[in-house]
Amino acid sequence: MNSLFVRLVVVLGLLLPGLLVPAKAQDLPRLYHTDLLRDGLITAGGVTMAVTGSVLLSNKTPLTEADLASFDKSQVNKFDRWAAGNFSQKAKDASDVFFYTSYGLPLLFLADQKAIPHAKDIYFLYAETISLAGGIYALTAGLTNRKRPNVYATQAPLEERLHKYAKNSFFAGHTAATASVTFFTAKVFHDLHPNSPWRPVVWGAAAAFPVTVGYLRLRAGKHFLSDNIIGYAVGASIGILVPELHKRGRETSWRLIPTSEQTAVEQLQGIALTKRF
């Protein structure tokens, strides 16, 4: 995942909440309960994490040819070692197609008559979902320095091995972002159509789409298997939990709230999950 994705998160995270202010009154009971201030702050928190992570990514010390000469596959843990040295430009390009295509999937709700009355809430939560997924990825990748599998690929072009994002392997951002979108789409469909026979198909497609992206990123030498597993789990969890925690009735007990803590060095901002008993 690169800076283009971070810019996409920032743009969507800033624009969607402003354009899609949660409805205050509708003819039908609201499926989700959203709050402009609370959820706006959460979305802004995700955008802030994405921007902070982007700065950290940009300031990483790049690898040198001397570094490459000292690297060996035996340095990689046994679980992931088999992927060290992978490289495929075709797989990388294919993963980008699936990745960017996934962002349009929630637009299908515009053709769903049951979704139209809840569209503002749905797309407000969509903005929150992608901002959290993008923010958590960018901040994590910015704070870690795991080398990508293609760094060990002696057959790969030197510029690829020395790319400024060569130390962004943990965790798999493409996989996480795709999973957050597909599982969000499936969860909203599940809530909108409780009796639909298509629900297993939708969930199956939601699970398969990021698996495909993860496989392609693995083949491309962009991430190890463990990076993809963690990215998949993070993205799927966000995609499911954001709409679930905002369902009418449930949001009174489980809540996502923005939080901050002042340390001796700096002020930390994040998201807290709380439950009322």
Side-chain angles (χ1 to χ4, degrees), residues 2 41 45-46 48-49 76 85 92 96 123-124 144 173 180 208 213 225 230-232 260 264-265:
N2 52 38
L41 287 174
T48 300
M49 287 191 291
V76 181
K92 174 187 176 300
D96 287 339
Y123 290 113
F124 193 62
T144 57
S180 71
V213 171
L225 179 58
I230 293 173
Y232 192 103
S260 63
V265 180

mmCIF file with all atom_site columns, all heavy atoms in Angstrom, residues 2 41 45-46 48-49 76 85 92 96 123-124 144 173 180 208 213 225 230-232 260 264-265:
data_model
loop_
_atom_site.group_PDB
_atom_site.id
_atom_site.type_symbol
_atom_site.label_atom_id
_atom_site.label_alt_id
_atom_site.label_comp_id
_atom_site.label_asym_id
_atom_site.label_entity_id
_atom_site.label_seq_id
_atom_site.pdbx_PDB_ins_code
_atom_site.Cartn_x
_atom_site.Cartn_y
_atom_site.Cartn_z
_atom_site.occupancy
_atom_site.B_iso_or_equiv
_atom_site.pdbx_formal_charge
_atom_site.auth_seq_id
_atom_site.auth_comp_id
_atom_site.auth_asym_id
_atom_site.auth_atom_id
_atom_site.pdbx_PDB_model_num
ATOM 1   N N   . ASN A 1 2   ? 0.462   2.261   -0.725 1.00 0.00 ? 2   ASN A N   1
ATOM 2   C CA  . ASN A 1 2   ? 1.323   3.422   -0.863 1.00 0.00 ? 2   ASN A CA  1
ATOM 3   C C   . ASN A 1 2   ? 0.626   4.692   -0.445 1.00 0.00 ? 2   ASN A C   1
ATOM 4   O O   . ASN A 1 2   ? -0.482  4.675   0.091  1.00 0.00 ? 2   ASN A O   1
ATOM 5   C CB  . ASN A 1 2   ? 1.803   3.534   -2.323 1.00 0.00 ? 2   ASN A CB  1
ATOM 6   C CG  . ASN A 1 2   ? 0.632   3.485   -3.297 1.00 0.00 ? 2   ASN A CG  1
ATOM 7   O OD1 . ASN A 1 2   ? -0.419  4.038   -3.027 1.00 0.00 ? 2   ASN A OD1 1
ATOM 8   N ND2 . ASN A 1 2   ? 0.821   2.813   -4.412 1.00 0.00 ? 2   ASN A ND2 1
ATOM 9   N N   . LEU A 1 41  ? -15.742 12.648  15.062 1.00 0.00 ? 41  LEU A N   1
ATOM 10  C CA  . LEU A 1 41  ? -14.461 12.659  15.764 1.00 0.00 ? 41  LEU A CA  1
ATOM 11  C C   . LEU A 1 41  ? -13.709 11.347  15.561 1.00 0.00 ? 41  LEU A C   1
ATOM 12  O O   . LEU A 1 41  ? -12.482 11.337  15.429 1.00 0.00 ? 41  LEU A O   1
ATOM 13  C CB  . LEU A 1 41  ? -14.677 12.914  17.255 1.00 0.00 ? 41  LEU A CB  1
ATOM 14  C CG  . LEU A 1 41  ? -15.072 14.343  17.641 1.00 0.00 ? 41  LEU A CG  1
ATOM 15  C CD1 . LEU A 1 41  ? -15.408 14.412  19.126 1.00 0.00 ? 41  LEU A CD1 1
ATOM 16  C CD2 . LEU A 1 41  ? -13.946 15.325  17.302 1.00 0.00 ? 41  LEU A CD2 1
ATOM 17  N N   . GLY A 1 45  ? -10.254 10.962  13.786 1.00 0.00 ? 45  GLY A N   1
ATOM 18  C CA  . GLY A 1 45  ? -9.150  10.275  14.443 1.00 0.00 ? 45  GLY A CA  1
ATOM 19  C C   . GLY A 1 45  ? -8.461  9.299   13.509 1.00 0.00 ? 45  GLY A C   1
ATOM 20  O O   . GLY A 1 45  ? -7.233  9.187   13.499 1.00 0.00 ? 45  GLY A O   1
ATOM 21  N N   . GLY A 1 46  ? -9.263  8.586   12.705 1.00 0.00 ? 46  GLY A N   1
ATOM 22  C CA  . GLY A 1 46  ? -8.693  7.677   11.716 1.00 0.00 ? 46  GLY A CA  1
ATOM 23  C C   . GLY A 1 46  ? -7.877  8.412   10.677 1.00 0.00 ? 46  GLY A C   1
ATOM 24  O O   . GLY A 1 46  ? -6.789  7.977   10.289 1.00 0.00 ? 46  GLY A O   1
ATOM 25  N N   . THR A 1 48  ? -6.427  11.298  11.115 1.00 0.00 ? 48  THR A N   1
ATOM 26  C CA  . THR A 1 48  ? -5.223  11.784  11.791 1.00 0.00 ? 48  THR A CA  1
ATOM 27  C C   . THR A 1 48  ? -4.169  10.690  11.884 1.00 0.00 ? 48  THR A C   1
ATOM 28  O O   . THR A 1 48  ? -2.974  10.939  11.660 1.00 0.00 ? 48  THR A O   1
ATOM 29  C CB  . THR A 1 48  ? -5.572  12.287  13.204 1.00 0.00 ? 48  THR A CB  1
ATOM 30  O OG1 . THR A 1 48  ? -6.516  13.354  13.109 1.00 0.00 ? 48  THR A OG1 1
ATOM 31  C CG2 . THR A 1 48  ? -4.328  12.786  13.927 1.00 0.00 ? 48  THR A CG2 1
ATOM 32  N N   . MET A 1 49  ? -4.600  9.475   12.208 1.00 0.00 ? 49  MET A N   1
ATOM 33  C CA  . MET A 1 49  ? -3.659  8.356   12.259 1.00 0.00 ? 49  MET A CA  1
ATOM 34  C C   . MET A 1 49  ? -3.059  8.094   10.887 1.00 0.00 ? 49  MET A C   1
ATOM 35  O O   . MET A 1 49  ? -1.862  7.792   10.766 1.00 0.00 ? 49  MET A O   1
ATOM 36  C CB  . MET A 1 49  ? -4.356  7.099   12.781 1.00 0.00 ? 49  MET A CB  1
ATOM 37  C CG  . MET A 1 49  ? -4.666  7.131   14.269 1.00 0.00 ? 49  MET A CG  1
ATOM 38  S SD  . MET A 1 49  ? -5.210  5.514   14.921 1.00 0.00 ? 49  MET A SD  1
ATOM 39  C CE  . MET A 1 49  ? -6.813  5.346   14.123 1.00 0.00 ? 49  MET A CE  1
ATOM 40  N N   . VAL A 1 76  ? 14.493  -14.701 8.135  1.00 0.00 ? 76  VAL A N   1
ATOM 41  C CA  . VAL A 1 76  ? 13.030  -14.654 8.222  1.00 0.00 ? 76  VAL A CA  1
ATOM 42  C C   . VAL A 1 76  ? 12.532  -15.831 9.046  1.00 0.00 ? 76  VAL A C   1
ATOM 43  O O   . VAL A 1 76  ? 13.069  -16.948 8.951  1.00 0.00 ? 76  VAL A O   1
ATOM 44  C CB  . VAL A 1 76  ? 12.401  -14.690 6.809  1.00 0.00 ? 76  VAL A CB  1
ATOM 45  C CG1 . VAL A 1 76  ? 10.875  -14.624 6.899  1.00 0.00 ? 76  VAL A CG1 1
ATOM 46  C CG2 . VAL A 1 76  ? 12.955  -13.564 5.955  1.00 0.00 ? 76  VAL A CG2 1
ATOM 47  N N   . GLY A 1 85  ? 11.699  -13.699 -1.114 1.00 0.00 ? 85  GLY A N   1
ATOM 48  C CA  . GLY A 1 85  ? 12.225  -13.783 -2.471 1.00 0.00 ? 85  GLY A CA  1
ATOM 49  C C   . GLY A 1 85  ? 11.149  -13.756 -3.543 1.00 0.00 ? 85  GLY A C   1
ATOM 50  O O   . GLY A 1 85  ? 11.462  -13.739 -4.738 1.00 0.00 ? 85  GLY A O   1
ATOM 51  N N   . LYS A 1 92  ? 1.270   -7.845  -8.604 1.00 0.00 ? 92  LYS A N   1
ATOM 52  C CA  . LYS A 1 92  ? 1.113   -6.542  -7.950 1.00 0.00 ? 92  LYS A CA  1
ATOM 53  C C   . LYS A 1 92  ? 0.042   -5.713  -8.664 1.00 0.00 ? 92  LYS A C   1
ATOM 54  O O   . LYS A 1 92  ? -0.841  -5.129  -8.023 1.00 0.00 ? 92  LYS A O   1
ATOM 55  C CB  . LYS A 1 92  ? 2.431   -5.779  -7.945 1.00 0.00 ? 92  LYS A CB  1
ATOM 56  C CG  . LYS A 1 92  ? 2.314   -4.348  -7.407 1.00 0.00 ? 92  LYS A CG  1
ATOM 57  C CD  . LYS A 1 92  ? 3.599   -3.581  -7.581 1.00 0.00 ? 92  LYS A CD  1
ATOM 58  C CE  . LYS A 1 92  ? 3.425   -2.122  -7.119 1.00 0.00 ? 92  LYS A CE  1
ATOM 59  N NZ  . LYS A 1 92  ? 2.373   -1.413  -7.905 1.00 0.00 ? 92  LYS A NZ  1
ATOM 60  N N   . ASP A 1 96  ? -3.743  -4.431  -7.262 1.00 0.00 ? 96  ASP A N   1
ATOM 61  C CA  . ASP A 1 96  ? -4.205  -3.038  -7.248 1.00 0.00 ? 96  ASP A CA  1
ATOM 62  C C   . ASP A 1 96  ? -5.597  -2.915  -7.857 1.00 0.00 ? 96  ASP A C   1
ATOM 63  O O   . ASP A 1 96  ? -6.422  -2.113  -7.389 1.00 0.00 ? 96  ASP A O   1
ATOM 64  C CB  . ASP A 1 96  ? -3.222  -2.144  -8.015 1.00 0.00 ? 96  ASP A CB  1
ATOM 65  C CG  . ASP A 1 96  ? -1.925  -1.915  -7.249 1.00 0.00 ? 96  ASP A CG  1
ATOM 66  O OD1 . ASP A 1 96  ? -1.927  -2.085  -6.019 1.00 0.00 ? 96  ASP A OD1 1
ATOM 67  O OD2 . ASP A 1 96  ? -0.920  -1.559  -7.896 1.00 0.00 ? 96  ASP A OD2 1
ATOM 68  N N   . TYR A 1 123 ? -23.353 5.407   4.544  1.00 0.00 ? 123 TYR A N   1
ATOM 69  C CA  . TYR A 1 123 ? -22.130 5.970   3.971  1.00 0.00 ? 123 TYR A CA  1
ATOM 70  C C   . TYR A 1 123 ? -21.333 6.777   4.996  1.00 0.00 ? 123 TYR A C   1
ATOM 71  O O   . TYR A 1 123 ? -20.118 6.942   4.858  1.00 0.00 ? 123 TYR A O   1
ATOM 72  C CB  . TYR A 1 123 ? -22.462 6.782   2.727  1.00 0.00 ? 123 TYR A CB  1
ATOM 73  C CG  . TYR A 1 123 ? -22.901 5.882   1.592  1.00 0.00 ? 123 TYR A CG  1
ATOM 74  C CD1 . TYR A 1 123 ? -24.212 5.906   1.116  1.00 0.00 ? 123 TYR A CD1 1
ATOM 75  C CD2 . TYR A 1 123 ? -22.012 4.966   1.035  1.00 0.00 ? 123 TYR A CD2 1
ATOM 76  C CE1 . TYR A 1 123 ? -24.620 5.054   0.107  1.00 0.00 ? 123 TYR A CE1 1
ATOM 77  C CE2 . TYR A 1 123 ? -22.413 4.106   0.033  1.00 0.00 ? 123 TYR A CE2 1
ATOM 78  C CZ  . TYR A 1 123 ? -23.715 4.145   -0.433 1.00 0.00 ? 123 TYR A CZ  1
ATOM 79  O OH  . TYR A 1 123 ? -24.110 3.287   -1.419 1.00 0.00 ? 123 TYR A OH  1
ATOM 80  N N   . PHE A 1 124 ? -22.005 7.234   6.011  1.00 0.00 ? 124 PHE A N   1
ATOM 81  C CA  . PHE A 1 124 ? -21.287 7.873   7.116  1.00 0.00 ? 124 PHE A CA  1
ATOM 82  C C   . PHE A 1 124 ? -20.432 6.822   7.831  1.00 0.00 ? 124 PHE A C   1
ATOM 83  O O   . PHE A 1 124 ? -19.261 7.049   8.149  1.00 0.00 ? 124 PHE A O   1
ATOM 84  C CB  . PHE A 1 124 ? -22.287 8.510   8.078  1.00 0.00 ? 124 PHE A CB  1
ATOM 85  C CG  . PHE A 1 124 ? -21.662 9.449   9.083  1.00 0.00 ? 124 PHE A CG  1
ATOM 86  C CD1 . PHE A 1 124 ? -20.989 10.593  8.681  1.00 0.00 ? 124 PHE A CD1 1
ATOM 87  C CD2 . PHE A 1 124 ? -21.767 9.193   10.438 1.00 0.00 ? 124 PHE A CD2 1
ATOM 88  C CE1 . PHE A 1 124 ? -20.430 11.461  9.612  1.00 0.00 ? 124 PHE A CE1 1
ATOM 89  C CE2 . PHE A 1 124 ? -21.213 10.052  11.372 1.00 0.00 ? 124 PHE A CE2 1
ATOM 90  C CZ  . PHE A 1 124 ? -20.537 11.196  10.961 1.00 0.00 ? 124 PHE A CZ  1
ATOM 91  N N   . THR A 1 144 ? 6.795   0.348   12.356 1.00 0.00 ? 144 THR A N   1
ATOM 92  C CA  . THR A 1 144 ? 7.541   -0.908  12.228 1.00 0.00 ? 144 THR A CA  1
ATOM 93  C C   . THR A 1 144 ? 8.414   -0.862  10.980 1.00 0.00 ? 144 THR A C   1
ATOM 94  O O   . THR A 1 144 ? 8.217   -0.015  10.103 1.00 0.00 ? 144 THR A O   1
ATOM 95  C CB  . THR A 1 144 ? 6.589   -2.114  12.147 1.00 0.00 ? 144 THR A CB  1
ATOM 96  O OG1 . THR A 1 144 ? 5.678   -1.929  11.038 1.00 0.00 ? 144 THR A OG1 1
ATOM 97  C CG2 . THR A 1 144 ? 5.772   -2.250  13.424 1.00 0.00 ? 144 THR A CG2 1
ATOM 98  N N   . GLY A 1 173 ? -1.593  -3.871  4.149  1.00 0.00 ? 173 GLY A N   1
ATOM 99  C CA  . GLY A 1 173 ? -2.581  -2.799  4.047  1.00 0.00 ? 173 GLY A CA  1
ATOM 100 C C   . GLY A 1 173 ? -3.626  -3.034  2.984  1.00 0.00 ? 173 GLY A C   1
ATOM 101 O O   . GLY A 1 173 ? -4.811  -2.751  3.189  1.00 0.00 ? 173 GLY A O   1
ATOM 102 N N   . SER A 1 180 ? -11.936 -4.695  5.058  1.00 0.00 ? 180 SER A N   1
ATOM 103 C CA  . SER A 1 180 ? -12.814 -3.771  5.781  1.00 0.00 ? 180 SER A CA  1
ATOM 104 C C   . SER A 1 180 ? -13.993 -3.353  4.920  1.00 0.00 ? 180 SER A C   1
ATOM 105 O O   . SER A 1 180 ? -15.128 -3.261  5.405  1.00 0.00 ? 180 SER A O   1
ATOM 106 C CB  . SER A 1 180 ? -12.027 -2.539  6.244  1.00 0.00 ? 180 SER A CB  1
ATOM 107 O OG  . SER A 1 180 ? -11.677 -1.694  5.169  1.00 0.00 ? 180 SER A OG  1
ATOM 108 N N   . ALA A 1 208 ? -13.903 -13.987 0.147  1.00 0.00 ? 208 ALA A N   1
ATOM 109 C CA  . ALA A 1 208 ? -13.011 -14.395 -0.941 1.00 0.00 ? 208 ALA A CA  1
ATOM 110 C C   . ALA A 1 208 ? -12.256 -13.217 -1.561 1.00 0.00 ? 208 ALA A C   1
ATOM 111 O O   . ALA A 1 208 ? -11.105 -13.375 -1.991 1.00 0.00 ? 208 ALA A O   1
ATOM 112 C CB  . ALA A 1 208 ? -13.813 -15.120 -2.022 1.00 0.00 ? 208 ALA A CB  1
ATOM 113 N N   . VAL A 1 213 ? -6.858  -10.753 -2.883 1.00 0.00 ? 213 VAL A N   1
ATOM 114 C CA  . VAL A 1 213 ? -5.895  -9.654  -2.790 1.00 0.00 ? 213 VAL A CA  1
ATOM 115 C C   . VAL A 1 213 ? -4.669  -10.101 -2.001 1.00 0.00 ? 213 VAL A C   1
ATOM 116 O O   . VAL A 1 213 ? -3.520  -9.841  -2.400 1.00 0.00 ? 213 VAL A O   1
ATOM 117 C CB  . VAL A 1 213 ? -6.537  -8.420  -2.129 1.00 0.00 ? 213 VAL A CB  1
ATOM 118 C CG1 . VAL A 1 213 ? -5.483  -7.351  -1.838 1.00 0.00 ? 213 VAL A CG1 1
ATOM 119 C CG2 . VAL A 1 213 ? -7.620  -7.839  -3.027 1.00 0.00 ? 213 VAL A CG2 1
ATOM 120 N N   . LEU A 1 225 ? 2.914   -14.200 4.594  1.00 0.00 ? 225 LEU A N   1
ATOM 121 C CA  . LEU A 1 225 ? 1.617   -14.779 4.955  1.00 0.00 ? 225 LEU A CA  1
ATOM 122 C C   . LEU A 1 225 ? 1.103   -14.203 6.267  1.00 0.00 ? 225 LEU A C   1
ATOM 123 O O   . LEU A 1 225 ? -0.082  -13.878 6.390  1.00 0.00 ? 225 LEU A O   1
ATOM 124 C CB  . LEU A 1 225 ? 1.733   -16.300 5.056  1.00 0.00 ? 225 LEU A CB  1
ATOM 125 C CG  . LEU A 1 225 ? 0.454   -17.047 5.444  1.00 0.00 ? 225 LEU A CG  1
ATOM 126 C CD1 . LEU A 1 225 ? -0.674  -16.760 4.457  1.00 0.00 ? 225 LEU A CD1 1
ATOM 127 C CD2 . LEU A 1 225 ? 0.724   -18.553 5.527  1.00 0.00 ? 225 LEU A CD2 1
ATOM 128 N N   . ILE A 1 230 ? -2.878  -11.124 9.538  1.00 0.00 ? 230 ILE A N   1
ATOM 129 C CA  . ILE A 1 230 ? -3.182  -10.042 10.483 1.00 0.00 ? 230 ILE A CA  1
ATOM 130 C C   . ILE A 1 230 ? -3.971  -8.934  9.792  1.00 0.00 ? 230 ILE A C   1
ATOM 131 O O   . ILE A 1 230 ? -4.951  -8.414  10.335 1.00 0.00 ? 230 ILE A O   1
ATOM 132 C CB  . ILE A 1 230 ? -1.888  -9.495  11.098 1.00 0.00 ? 230 ILE A CB  1
ATOM 133 C CG1 . ILE A 1 230 ? -1.245  -10.564 11.980 1.00 0.00 ? 230 ILE A CG1 1
ATOM 134 C CG2 . ILE A 1 230 ? -2.165  -8.230  11.916 1.00 0.00 ? 230 ILE A CG2 1
ATOM 135 C CD1 . ILE A 1 230 ? 0.114   -10.207 12.517 1.00 0.00 ? 230 ILE A CD1 1
ATOM 136 N N   . GLY A 1 231 ? -3.569  -8.568  8.580  1.00 0.00 ? 231 GLY A N   1
ATOM 137 C CA  . GLY A 1 231 ? -4.298  -7.542  7.838  1.00 0.00 ? 231 GLY A CA  1
ATOM 138 C C   . GLY A 1 231 ? -5.744  -7.945  7.584  1.00 0.00 ? 231 GLY A C   1
ATOM 139 O O   . GLY A 1 231 ? -6.665  -7.132  7.734  1.00 0.00 ? 231 GLY A O   1
ATOM 140 N N   . TYR A 1 232 ? -5.940  -9.208  7.221  1.00 0.00 ? 232 TYR A N   1
ATOM 141 C CA  . TYR A 1 232 ? -7.292  -9.717  6.983  1.00 0.00 ? 232 TYR A CA  1
ATOM 142 C C   . TYR A 1 232 ? -8.134  -9.629  8.257  1.00 0.00 ? 232 TYR A C   1
ATOM 143 O O   . TYR A 1 232 ? -9.285  -9.171  8.224  1.00 0.00 ? 232 TYR A O   1
ATOM 144 C CB  . TYR A 1 232 ? -7.201  -11.168 6.515  1.00 0.00 ? 232 TYR A CB  1
ATOM 145 C CG  . TYR A 1 232 ? -8.471  -11.758 5.964  1.00 0.00 ? 232 TYR A CG  1
ATOM 146 C CD1 . TYR A 1 232 ? -8.663  -11.901 4.597  1.00 0.00 ? 232 TYR A CD1 1
ATOM 147 C CD2 . TYR A 1 232 ? -9.491  -12.199 6.813  1.00 0.00 ? 232 TYR A CD2 1
ATOM 148 C CE1 . TYR A 1 232 ? -9.824  -12.462 4.077  1.00 0.00 ? 232 TYR A CE1 1
ATOM 149 C CE2 . TYR A 1 232 ? -10.646 -12.749 6.314  1.00 0.00 ? 232 TYR A CE2 1
ATOM 150 C CZ  . TYR A 1 232 ? -10.812 -12.881 4.942  1.00 0.00 ? 232 TYR A CZ  1
ATOM 151 O OH  . TYR A 1 232 ? -11.984 -13.425 4.452  1.00 0.00 ? 232 TYR A OH  1
ATOM 152 N N   . SER A 1 260 ? -8.135  10.360  24.178 1.00 0.00 ? 260 SER A N   1
ATOM 153 C CA  . SER A 1 260 ? -6.774  10.901  24.114 1.00 0.00 ? 260 SER A CA  1
ATOM 154 C C   . SER A 1 260 ? -6.132  10.771  25.481 1.00 0.00 ? 260 SER A C   1
ATOM 155 O O   . SER A 1 260 ? -6.812  10.703  26.505 1.00 0.00 ? 260 SER A O   1
ATOM 156 C CB  . SER A 1 260 ? -6.783  12.370  23.667 1.00 0.00 ? 260 SER A CB  1
ATOM 157 O OG  . SER A 1 260 ? -7.465  13.178  24.610 1.00 0.00 ? 260 SER A OG  1
ATOM 158 N N   . ALA A 1 264 ? 4.265   12.263  29.023 1.00 0.00 ? 264 ALA A N   1
ATOM 159 C CA  . ALA A 1 264 ? 5.308   13.254  29.306 1.00 0.00 ? 264 ALA A CA  1
ATOM 160 C C   . ALA A 1 264 ? 5.911   13.804  28.034 1.00 0.00 ? 264 ALA A C   1
ATOM 161 O O   . ALA A 1 264 ? 6.500   14.881  28.033 1.00 0.00 ? 264 ALA A O   1
ATOM 162 C CB  . ALA A 1 264 ? 6.401   12.622  30.173 1.00 0.00 ? 264 ALA A CB  1
ATOM 163 N N   . VAL A 1 265 ? 5.756   13.069  26.928 1.00 0.00 ? 265 VAL A N   1
ATOM 164 C CA  . VAL A 1 265 ? 6.371   13.480  25.661 1.00 0.00 ? 265 VAL A CA  1
ATOM 165 C C   . VAL A 1 265 ? 5.380   14.114  24.716 1.00 0.00 ? 265 VAL A C   1
ATOM 166 O O   . VAL A 1 265 ? 5.629   15.155  24.113 1.00 0.00 ? 265 VAL A O   1
ATOM 167 C CB  . VAL A 1 265 ? 7.044   12.263  24.987 1.00 0.00 ? 265 VAL A CB  1
ATOM 168 C CG1 . VAL A 1 265 ? 7.681   12.686  23.659 1.00 0.00 ? 265 VAL A CG1 1
ATOM 169 C CG2 . VAL A 1 265 ? 8.083   11.653  25.912 1.00 0.00 ? 265 VAL A CG2 1
#
